[in-house]
Amino acid sequence: VLRETLSKRGVRVITGIGKYFRQVDKNKNGFLSQAAFKEALELFHLEIPEGDFESLWLVLDDSKSDKVDYGEFTRAIFGEMNEYRKAFVRKAYMKLDFSKTGSVPMIDIRKCYCAK
């Protein structure tokens, strides 16, 4: 149900939820409680019936930690990237990683990206 709703609403809702999750995640650990997760869905008008929410929560909280990982949430909704997108991301990353260290400092990203 949520996947269908999100696919109709588009990228803005997903990016908005992501931004909201990062704001609510005070510990900066990438996890949200059930209450915070439910509040986020309601804030973005993604209300789902309580029974469906409980089912969704059981899927997302597979470790039974009473928390959900935002990365797991997005993978559950969108699935993994297809091979074309993975290749595109790898190609872009290789251009950003000038020193071939496997990490890209923000200064290197600034050299390649203009938000204007």
Side-chain angles (χ1 to χ4, degrees):
V1 173
L2 185 59
R3 181 181 283 187
E4 293 167 7
T5 305
L6 285 172
S7 68
K8 290 177 188 173
R9 301 277 298 280
V11 173
R12 286 182 189 237
V13 172
I14 293 299
T15 55
I17 289 175
K19 184 176 180 181
Y20 178 79
F21 280 0
R22 286 185 294 278
Q23 290 171 351
V24 172
D25 182 15
K26 302 297 182 198
N27 300 346
K28 303 296 181 209
N29 62 3
F31 291 93
L32 289 177
S33 68
Q34 185 174 7
F37 183 72
K38 186 180 277 192
E39 185 178 309
L41 294 180
E42 290 172 1
L43 181 68
F44 285 87
H45 306 288
L46 296 168
E47 294 91 0
I48 56 176
E50 188 61 33
D52 290 342
F53 179 82
E54 292 300 325
S55 298
L56 172 66
W57 186 256
L58 289 173
V59 170
L60 294 174
D61 184 26
D62 59 352
S63 65
K64 307 296 181 246
S65 63
D66 200 34
K67 294 181 180 176
V68 67
D69 178 336
Y70 178 67
E72 291 295 323
F73 168 71
T74 56
R75 278 188 289 284
I77 297 299
F78 295 114
E80 295 294 329
M81 284 193 286
N82 64 36
E83 287 305 313
Y84 174 77
R85 287 183 64 205
K86 283 181 187 177
F88 194 79
V89 169
R90 282 188 204 104
K91 186 176 179 180
Y93 188 83
M94 287 170 37
K95 286 192 175 216
L96 290 172
D97 189 11
F98 298 115
S99 57
K100 307 296 182 224
T101 61
S103 65
V104 180
M106 188 58 70
I107 190 110
D108 288 349
I109 293 173
R110 285 188 184 121
K111 291 176 187 175
C112 296
Y113 182 74
C114 177
K116 291 178 184 177

